[in-house]
Amino acid sequence: KRDSGQYWPSIYHTMSSPCSAMAYHHDSRRIFVGQDNGAIMEFHISEDFNKMNFVKTYPAHQNRVSAITFCLTSEWVISTGHDKCVSWMCTRSGSMLGRHYFTSWASCLQYDYETRHAFVGDYSGQITLLKLEQNTCSVITTLKGHEGSITSLWWDPVQRLLFSGASDHSIIMWDIGGRKGRTLLLQGHHDKVQAICYIQLTRQLVSCSADGGIAVWNMDISREEAPQWLESDSCQKCEQPFFWNIKQMWDTKTLGLRQHHCRKCGQAVCGKCSTKRSSYPIMGFEFQVRVCDSCFESIKDEDRTSLATFHEGKHNISHMSMDISRGLMVTCGSDRIVKIWDMTPVVGCSLATGFSSR
Protein backbone atom coordinates (compact mmCIF):
# COMPACT_ATOMS: atom_id res chain seq x y z
CA LYS A 1 0.00 0.00 0.00
CA ARG A 2 1.51 3.31 -1.04
CA ASP A 3 1.41 6.70 0.73
CA SER A 4 -1.42 7.72 -1.59
CA GLY A 5 -3.61 4.98 -0.11
CA GLN A 6 -3.56 3.05 -3.37
CA TYR A 7 -2.33 -0.52 -3.84
CA TRP A 8 0.24 -1.15 -6.56
CA PRO A 9 1.92 -4.36 -7.70
CA SER A 10 5.19 -4.70 -5.80
CA ILE A 11 6.51 -7.64 -7.75
CA TYR A 12 6.58 -8.39 -11.44
CA HIS A 13 8.39 -11.56 -12.43
CA THR A 14 8.58 -12.75 -16.04
CA MET A 15 8.54 -16.53 -16.42
CA SER A 16 10.33 -18.44 -19.17
CA SER A 17 7.08 -20.13 -20.19
CA PRO A 18 3.35 -19.29 -19.76
CA CYS A 19 2.00 -20.04 -16.27
CA SER A 20 -0.61 -22.81 -16.06
CA ALA A 21 -1.04 -23.62 -12.34
CA MET A 22 -0.22 -22.13 -8.96
CA ALA A 23 -0.16 -23.11 -5.29
CA TYR A 24 0.46 -20.71 -2.40
CA HIS A 25 1.28 -21.90 1.12
CA HIS A 26 0.11 -19.18 3.48
CA ASP A 27 2.05 -20.13 6.64
CA SER A 28 5.45 -20.46 4.99
CA ARG A 29 4.75 -17.80 2.27
CA ARG A 30 5.99 -20.17 -0.42
CA ILE A 31 4.53 -20.02 -3.91
CA PHE A 32 4.83 -22.73 -6.57
CA VAL A 33 4.14 -21.80 -10.18
CA GLY A 34 3.59 -24.47 -12.84
CA GLN A 35 4.31 -23.69 -16.47
CA ASP A 36 3.44 -24.87 -19.98
CA ASN A 37 6.94 -26.37 -20.36
CA GLY A 38 6.34 -28.74 -17.41
CA ALA A 39 8.62 -26.99 -14.91
CA ILE A 40 7.53 -25.74 -11.48
CA MET A 41 9.28 -22.67 -10.04
CA GLU A 42 9.33 -22.03 -6.29
CA PHE A 43 9.52 -18.54 -4.79
CA HIS A 44 9.56 -17.25 -1.23
CA ILE A 45 7.51 -14.12 -0.49
CA SER A 46 8.98 -11.60 1.99
CA GLU A 47 7.08 -10.79 5.17
CA ASP A 48 5.92 -7.39 3.88
CA PHE A 49 4.97 -8.96 0.50
CA ASN A 50 7.25 -6.54 -1.35
CA LYS A 51 9.83 -9.08 -2.50
CA MET A 52 9.71 -12.47 -4.17
CA ASN A 53 12.90 -14.52 -3.96
CA PHE A 54 13.49 -17.35 -6.43
CA VAL A 55 14.25 -20.65 -4.64
CA LYS A 56 14.51 -23.42 -7.24
CA THR A 57 13.05 -25.00 -10.36
CA TYR A 58 11.56 -28.50 -10.31
CA PRO A 59 11.61 -30.57 -13.55
CA ALA A 60 8.23 -32.05 -12.68
CA HIS A 61 6.67 -32.78 -16.10
CA GLN A 62 7.31 -33.01 -19.82
CA ASN A 63 4.22 -30.98 -20.68
CA ARG A 64 1.85 -28.39 -19.18
CA VAL A 65 1.40 -28.52 -15.39
CA SER A 66 -2.33 -28.73 -14.59
CA ALA A 67 -2.42 -28.74 -10.75
CA ILE A 68 -0.03 -28.31 -7.81
CA THR A 69 -0.25 -28.90 -4.07
CA PHE A 70 2.43 -28.49 -1.38
CA CYS A 71 2.72 -30.57 1.79
CA LEU A 72 4.85 -28.85 4.45
CA THR A 73 5.11 -31.82 6.84
CA SER A 74 6.68 -34.13 4.25
CA GLU A 75 8.27 -31.27 2.21
CA TRP A 76 6.70 -32.60 -0.98
CA VAL A 77 5.41 -30.71 -3.99
CA ILE A 78 2.84 -32.87 -5.79
CA SER A 79 1.63 -32.05 -9.28
CA THR A 80 -0.29 -33.35 -12.28
CA GLY A 81 0.35 -32.58 -15.92
CA HIS A 82 -0.58 -33.08 -19.55
CA ASP A 83 2.19 -35.66 -19.83
CA LYS A 84 -0.38 -38.06 -18.28
CA CYS A 85 1.31 -38.34 -14.91
CA VAL A 86 1.29 -37.30 -11.27
CA SER A 87 4.71 -36.56 -9.76
CA TRP A 88 5.92 -35.83 -6.25
CA MET A 89 9.24 -34.13 -5.61
CA CYS A 90 11.31 -33.33 -2.52
CA THR A 91 11.41 -29.57 -1.88
CA ARG A 92 14.60 -29.90 0.21
CA SER A 93 16.70 -31.52 -2.53
CA GLY A 94 14.62 -30.63 -5.57
CA SER A 95 14.83 -34.24 -6.74
CA MET A 96 12.08 -36.44 -8.17
CA LEU A 97 10.71 -38.97 -5.67
CA GLY A 98 8.14 -40.77 -7.80
CA ARG A 99 5.83 -40.69 -10.81
CA HIS A 100 2.65 -42.51 -11.76
CA TYR A 101 1.27 -42.52 -15.31
CA PHE A 102 -2.34 -42.57 -16.53
CA THR A 103 -3.91 -43.33 -19.89
CA SER A 104 -4.92 -39.69 -20.51
CA TRP A 105 -4.08 -36.14 -19.39
CA ALA A 106 -4.15 -35.65 -15.63
CA SER A 107 -6.33 -32.56 -15.21
CA CYS A 108 -6.85 -31.94 -11.48
CA LEU A 109 -5.56 -33.01 -8.07
CA GLN A 110 -6.59 -33.20 -4.41
CA TYR A 111 -4.43 -34.51 -1.58
CA ASP A 112 -5.13 -35.80 1.93
CA TYR A 113 -2.15 -34.58 3.98
CA GLU A 114 -2.78 -36.94 6.90
CA THR A 115 -3.01 -40.24 5.01
CA ARG A 116 -0.94 -39.30 1.90
CA HIS A 117 -3.76 -40.23 -0.44
CA ALA A 118 -3.93 -38.37 -3.77
CA PHE A 119 -7.05 -38.03 -5.93
CA VAL A 120 -6.27 -37.44 -9.60
CA GLY A 121 -8.94 -36.62 -12.19
CA ASP A 122 -8.18 -37.10 -15.88
CA TYR A 123 -9.56 -36.27 -19.32
CA SER A 124 -11.10 -39.73 -19.75
CA GLY A 125 -13.55 -39.00 -16.90
CA GLN A 126 -11.87 -41.25 -14.32
CA ILE A 127 -10.65 -40.38 -10.84
CA THR A 128 -7.75 -42.45 -9.49
CA LEU A 129 -7.11 -42.78 -5.75
CA LEU A 130 -3.40 -43.27 -5.04
CA LYS A 131 -1.47 -43.91 -1.84
CA LEU A 132 1.85 -42.07 -2.14
CA GLU A 133 4.98 -43.46 -0.46
CA GLN A 134 8.50 -42.04 -0.41
CA ASN A 135 9.54 -43.48 -3.79
CA THR A 136 6.53 -45.48 -4.94
CA CYS A 137 2.74 -45.47 -4.91
CA SER A 138 -0.13 -47.92 -5.04
CA VAL A 139 -3.49 -47.59 -6.80
CA ILE A 140 -6.29 -47.96 -4.23
CA THR A 141 -9.28 -47.65 -6.55
CA THR A 142 -10.61 -45.98 -9.69
CA LEU A 143 -13.86 -43.99 -9.55
CA LYS A 144 -15.98 -44.07 -12.70
CA GLY A 145 -19.22 -42.14 -13.06
CA HIS A 146 -18.69 -39.11 -15.29
CA GLU A 147 -19.28 -39.09 -19.04
CA GLY A 148 -16.85 -36.21 -19.63
CA SER A 149 -13.40 -35.10 -18.56
CA ILE A 150 -12.86 -34.23 -14.89
CA THR A 151 -12.46 -30.46 -14.59
CA SER A 152 -12.44 -29.93 -10.80
CA LEU A 153 -12.05 -31.85 -7.54
CA TRP A 154 -12.64 -30.98 -3.88
CA TRP A 155 -11.69 -33.18 -0.92
CA ASP A 156 -13.24 -32.71 2.53
CA PRO A 157 -10.96 -34.53 5.02
CA VAL A 158 -13.42 -34.12 7.93
CA GLN A 159 -16.39 -35.97 6.43
CA ARG A 160 -14.09 -37.78 3.97
CA LEU A 161 -16.17 -36.76 0.97
CA LEU A 162 -14.84 -36.21 -2.54
CA PHE A 163 -16.67 -33.91 -4.96
CA SER A 164 -15.93 -33.95 -8.69
CA GLY A 165 -17.09 -31.62 -11.45
CA ALA A 166 -16.86 -32.53 -15.12
CA SER A 167 -17.40 -31.36 -18.68
CA ASP A 168 -20.64 -33.42 -18.74
CA HIS A 169 -22.17 -30.51 -16.72
CA SER A 170 -22.59 -32.70 -13.61
CA ILE A 171 -21.15 -33.00 -10.10
CA ILE A 172 -20.74 -36.28 -8.21
CA MET A 173 -20.28 -36.66 -4.45
CA TRP A 174 -18.25 -39.78 -3.58
CA ASP A 175 -18.58 -41.06 -0.01
CA ILE A 176 -14.97 -42.21 0.48
CA GLY A 177 -15.13 -42.49 4.27
CA GLY A 178 -18.36 -44.49 4.30
CA ARG A 179 -16.72 -47.20 2.16
CA LYS A 180 -20.16 -48.07 0.76
CA GLY A 181 -19.43 -46.73 -2.68
CA ARG A 182 -22.34 -44.31 -2.25
CA THR A 183 -22.49 -41.61 -4.90
CA LEU A 184 -24.81 -38.64 -5.30
CA LEU A 185 -25.34 -37.05 -8.71
CA LEU A 186 -26.00 -33.28 -8.90
CA GLN A 187 -27.25 -31.79 -12.17
CA GLY A 188 -28.00 -28.08 -12.22
CA HIS A 189 -25.49 -26.57 -14.65
CA HIS A 190 -25.82 -26.07 -18.39
CA ASP A 191 -22.10 -26.02 -19.17
CA LYS A 192 -18.96 -27.72 -17.86
CA VAL A 193 -18.38 -27.36 -14.13
CA GLN A 194 -15.11 -25.44 -13.76
CA ALA A 195 -14.72 -25.12 -9.96
CA ILE A 196 -16.24 -26.50 -6.75
CA CYS A 197 -15.84 -25.79 -3.02
CA TYR A 198 -17.50 -27.62 -0.12
CA ILE A 199 -18.19 -25.57 3.02
CA GLN A 200 -18.03 -28.14 5.82
CA LEU A 201 -19.43 -25.77 8.47
CA THR A 202 -22.75 -25.22 6.71
CA ARG A 203 -22.84 -28.45 4.64
CA GLN A 204 -23.11 -26.49 1.39
CA LEU A 205 -21.42 -27.01 -1.95
CA VAL A 206 -20.61 -24.04 -4.20
CA SER A 207 -20.05 -24.77 -7.89
CA CYS A 208 -19.28 -22.57 -10.90
CA SER A 209 -19.62 -23.37 -14.59
CA ALA A 210 -18.17 -22.03 -17.83
CA ASP A 211 -21.41 -20.21 -18.75
CA GLY A 212 -21.20 -18.10 -15.57
CA GLY A 213 -23.65 -20.15 -13.55
CA ILE A 214 -23.05 -20.26 -9.78
CA ALA A 215 -24.93 -22.88 -7.75
CA VAL A 216 -25.11 -23.32 -3.96
CA TRP A 217 -26.25 -26.84 -3.08
CA ASN A 218 -27.79 -27.80 0.26
CA MET A 219 -25.98 -31.01 1.30
CA ASP A 220 -27.36 -30.96 4.86
CA ILE A 221 -30.35 -33.14 3.93
CA SER A 222 -30.88 -36.78 3.16
CA ARG A 223 -30.55 -37.11 -0.62
CA GLU A 224 -31.39 -40.15 -2.76
CA GLU A 225 -28.82 -41.92 -4.89
CA ALA A 226 -29.63 -41.97 -8.62
CA PRO A 227 -30.38 -45.51 -9.80
CA GLN A 228 -28.20 -47.49 -12.19
CA TRP A 229 -29.70 -47.63 -15.67
CA LEU A 230 -31.22 -51.04 -16.36
CA GLU A 231 -30.66 -52.85 -19.64
CA SER A 232 -33.47 -54.61 -21.49
CA ASP A 233 -34.31 -55.72 -25.03
CA SER A 234 -37.86 -54.41 -24.70
CA CYS A 235 -39.68 -51.63 -22.86
CA GLN A 236 -40.03 -52.57 -19.19
CA LYS A 237 -43.47 -50.89 -19.09
CA CYS A 238 -45.33 -51.93 -22.27
CA GLU A 239 -42.95 -54.74 -23.37
CA GLN A 240 -42.65 -53.39 -26.92
CA PRO A 241 -39.31 -54.42 -28.49
CA PHE A 242 -36.43 -52.00 -28.95
CA PHE A 243 -35.06 -51.58 -32.48
CA TRP A 244 -32.18 -54.08 -32.01
CA ASN A 245 -34.52 -56.84 -30.76
CA ILE A 246 -34.99 -58.43 -34.19
CA LYS A 247 -36.50 -61.70 -32.90
CA GLN A 248 -39.35 -60.04 -30.98
CA MET A 249 -39.97 -57.59 -33.84
CA TRP A 250 -40.31 -60.57 -36.23
CA ASP A 251 -42.52 -62.55 -33.85
CA THR A 252 -44.86 -59.64 -33.09
CA LYS A 253 -44.66 -58.06 -36.58
CA THR A 254 -43.92 -54.65 -35.02
CA LEU A 255 -41.27 -52.01 -35.57
CA GLY A 256 -38.65 -51.61 -32.88
CA LEU A 257 -38.66 -48.53 -30.67
CA ARG A 258 -35.86 -46.32 -29.40
CA GLN A 259 -34.63 -46.98 -25.85
CA HIS A 260 -34.78 -44.33 -23.11
CA HIS A 261 -34.23 -44.46 -19.35
CA CYS A 262 -36.31 -43.09 -16.50
CA ARG A 263 -34.03 -40.99 -14.30
CA LYS A 264 -36.03 -41.83 -11.15
CA CYS A 265 -36.35 -45.63 -11.35
CA GLY A 266 -33.66 -46.39 -13.95
CA GLN A 267 -35.91 -48.64 -16.04
CA ALA A 268 -35.46 -48.96 -19.81
CA VAL A 269 -38.59 -47.49 -21.41
CA CYS A 270 -39.88 -46.39 -24.80
CA GLY A 271 -40.86 -42.85 -25.72
CA LYS A 272 -44.61 -43.50 -25.33
CA CYS A 273 -44.12 -44.69 -21.74
CA SER A 274 -41.95 -41.73 -20.80
CA THR A 275 -43.70 -38.70 -22.27
CA LYS A 276 -43.32 -36.59 -19.12
CA ARG A 277 -40.46 -34.47 -17.76
CA SER A 278 -39.94 -33.48 -14.14
CA SER A 279 -37.32 -32.06 -11.82
CA TYR A 280 -36.47 -34.23 -8.81
CA PRO A 281 -34.03 -32.26 -6.60
CA ILE A 282 -33.72 -34.89 -3.85
CA MET A 283 -31.96 -37.06 -6.46
CA GLY A 284 -29.93 -34.09 -7.72
CA PHE A 285 -32.02 -33.27 -10.82
CA GLU A 286 -32.61 -29.53 -10.48
CA PHE A 287 -33.99 -29.16 -14.00
CA GLN A 288 -36.48 -31.32 -15.84
CA VAL A 289 -35.36 -34.78 -16.93
CA ARG A 290 -37.10 -37.75 -18.56
CA VAL A 291 -39.16 -39.91 -16.18
CA CYS A 292 -41.56 -42.76 -16.95
CA ASP A 293 -45.27 -41.98 -16.64
CA SER A 294 -45.74 -43.97 -13.42
CA CYS A 295 -42.80 -42.23 -11.70
CA PHE A 296 -44.18 -38.87 -12.84
CA GLU A 297 -47.44 -39.64 -11.05
CA SER A 298 -45.55 -40.56 -7.86
CA ILE A 299 -43.66 -37.23 -7.69
CA LYS A 300 -45.54 -34.73 -5.51
CA ASP A 301 -45.37 -30.96 -5.94
CA GLU A 302 -43.31 -30.61 -2.75
CA ASP A 303 -40.81 -33.12 -4.19
CA ARG A 304 -40.03 -30.58 -6.91
CA THR A 305 -38.90 -27.89 -4.42
CA SER A 306 -35.36 -26.86 -5.32
CA LEU A 307 -32.54 -27.85 -2.96
CA ALA A 308 -30.07 -25.38 -4.47
CA THR A 309 -29.93 -21.68 -5.26
CA PHE A 310 -28.72 -20.46 -8.63
CA HIS A 311 -26.97 -17.19 -9.42
CA GLU A 312 -25.64 -15.55 -12.56
CA GLY A 313 -21.93 -14.74 -12.56
CA LYS A 314 -22.28 -12.83 -15.85
CA HIS A 315 -18.85 -13.88 -17.09
CA ASN A 316 -17.12 -17.04 -18.23
CA ILE A 317 -15.84 -18.56 -14.97
CA SER A 318 -12.57 -20.44 -15.42
CA HIS A 319 -11.44 -20.57 -11.77
CA MET A 320 -12.97 -19.93 -8.37
CA SER A 321 -11.54 -19.70 -4.86
CA MET A 322 -13.37 -19.33 -1.55
CA ASP A 323 -12.14 -17.58 1.58
CA ILE A 324 -14.46 -19.53 3.86
CA SER A 325 -13.45 -17.64 7.03
CA ARG A 326 -14.69 -14.34 5.56
CA GLY A 327 -17.40 -15.66 3.26
CA LEU A 328 -15.73 -14.20 0.18
CA MET A 329 -15.43 -15.81 -3.24
CA VAL A 330 -13.27 -14.73 -6.16
CA THR A 331 -13.92 -15.81 -9.75
CA CYS A 332 -11.82 -15.18 -12.83
CA GLY A 333 -12.72 -15.90 -16.41
CA SER A 334 -11.40 -16.24 -19.93
CA ASP A 335 -12.89 -12.75 -20.48
CA ARG A 336 -9.97 -11.40 -18.37
CA ILE A 337 -12.36 -10.27 -15.62
CA VAL A 338 -11.88 -10.96 -11.90
CA LYS A 339 -14.89 -10.65 -9.58
CA ILE A 340 -15.06 -10.76 -5.78
CA TRP A 341 -18.34 -11.95 -4.26
CA ASP A 342 -19.79 -11.61 -0.76
CA MET A 343 -21.26 -15.07 -0.25
CA THR A 344 -22.52 -14.67 3.35
CA PRO A 345 -26.17 -13.93 2.35
CA VAL A 346 -26.19 -16.99 0.09
CA VAL A 347 -24.53 -19.57 2.33
CA GLY A 348 -26.84 -18.50 5.17
CA CYS A 349 -24.39 -17.98 8.02
CA SER A 350 -21.67 -15.81 9.40
CA LEU A 351 -18.73 -18.04 8.59
CA ALA A 352 -16.28 -16.22 10.86
CA THR A 353 -18.34 -16.89 13.99
CA GLY A 354 -19.89 -20.18 12.92
CA PHE A 355 -23.38 -18.83 13.70
CA SER A 356 -25.96 -20.26 11.37
CA SER A 357 -29.19 -18.42 10.66
CA ARG A 358 -30.74 -21.79 9.88
Side-chain angles (χ1 to χ4, degrees), residues 69-196:
T69 189
F70 170 62
C71 179
L72 182 63
T73 52
S74 60
E75 285 284 347
W76 287 1
V77 58
I78 307 151
S79 59
T80 55
H82 284 192
D83 56 355
K84 304 180 182 180
C85 88
V86 58
S87 70
W88 56 107
M89 304 189 70
C90 177
T91 53
R92 291 191 185 95
S93 64
S95 60
M96 178 69 67
L97 295 173
R99 270 198 181 109
H100 180 79
Y101 284 89
F102 306 95
T103 55
S104 58
W105 286 357
S107 52
C108 43
L109 168 72
Q110 286 285 282
Y111 184 66
D112 186 79
Y113 299 97
E114 186 180 339
T115 63
R116 292 189 174 183
H117 283 103
F119 301 91
V120 181
D122 63 38
Y123 269 73
S124 73
Q126 292 188 169
I127 303 165
T128 306
L129 171 54
L130 299 164
K131 169 77 174 189
L132 302 187
E133 305 291 354
Q134 188 66 26
N135 296 110
T136 184
C137 72
S138 52
V139 177
I140 306 300
T141 189
T142 303
L143 306 175
K144 299 177 182 178
H146 284 290
E147 295 178 7
S149 58
I150 309 297
T151 50
S152 52
L153 289 173
W154 185 273
W155 168 244
D156 175 47
V158 178
Q159 291 183 268
R160 304 197 70 74
L161 299 173
L162 180 71
F163 296 88
S164 58
S167 61
D168 60 8
H169 309 178
S170 71
I171 301 164
I172 295 179
M173 186 200 86
W174 311 85
D175 187 2
I176 304 296
R179 300 188 185 280
K180 297 175 183 175
R182 180 170 174 263
T183 60
L184 293 178
L185 178 67
L186 303 174
Q187 291 191 333
H189 287 288
H190 297 280
D191 206 335
K192 59 182 176 181
V193 181
Q194 298 276 51
I196 47 181

Side-chain angles (χ1 to χ4, degrees), residues 291-302:
V291 292
C292 65
D293 293 353
S294 56
C295 281
F296 182 83
E297 297 300 325
S298 70
I299 300 174
K300 305 182 182 68
D301 285 341
E302 56 264 32

Side-chain angles (χ1 to χ4, degrees), residues 23 41 55 61 81 99 126 182 218 258-259 286 323 330:
M41 295 183 75
V55 180
H61 297 277
R99 270 198 181 109
Q126 292 188 169
R182 180 170 174 263
N218 179 9
R258 186 182 171 193
Q259 183 191 50
E286 287 288 340
D323 183 345
V330 61

Side-chain angles (χ1 to χ4, degrees), residues 299-345:
I299 300 174
K300 305 182 182 68
D301 285 341
E302 56 264 32
D303 295 335
R304 296 186 176 94
T305 304
S306 180
L307 298 175
T309 58
F310 297 93
H311 315 270
E312 182 51 61
K314 294 184 178 177
H315 76 137
N316 173 293
I317 298 174
S318 301
H319 300 279
M320 172 267 284
S321 182
M322 284 278 292
D323 183 345
I324 294 173
S325 63
R326 291 189 292 170
L328 295 176
M329 179 177 78
V330 61
T331 59
C332 59
S334 59
D335 50 9
R336 303 185 184 185
I337 293 174
V338 176
K339 294 187 179 183
I340 299 174
W341 307 80
D342 177 10
M343 296 296 286
T344 49

Side-chain angles (χ1 to χ4, degrees), residues 195-235:
I196 47 181
C197 174
Y198 179 63
I199 305 171
Q200 203 274 330
L201 179 66
T202 59
R203 306 289 200 274
Q204 287 172 298
L205 179 73
V206 181
S207 58
C208 301
S209 59
D211 61 357
I214 300 170
V216 181
W217 306 82
N218 179 9
M219 304 304 293
D220 196 24
I221 53 165
S222 178
R223 290 179 175 268
E224 290 181 19
E225 194 171 352
Q228 293 288 324
W229 284 5
L230 302 175
E231 294 302 324
S232 176
D233 290 329
S234 55
C235 174

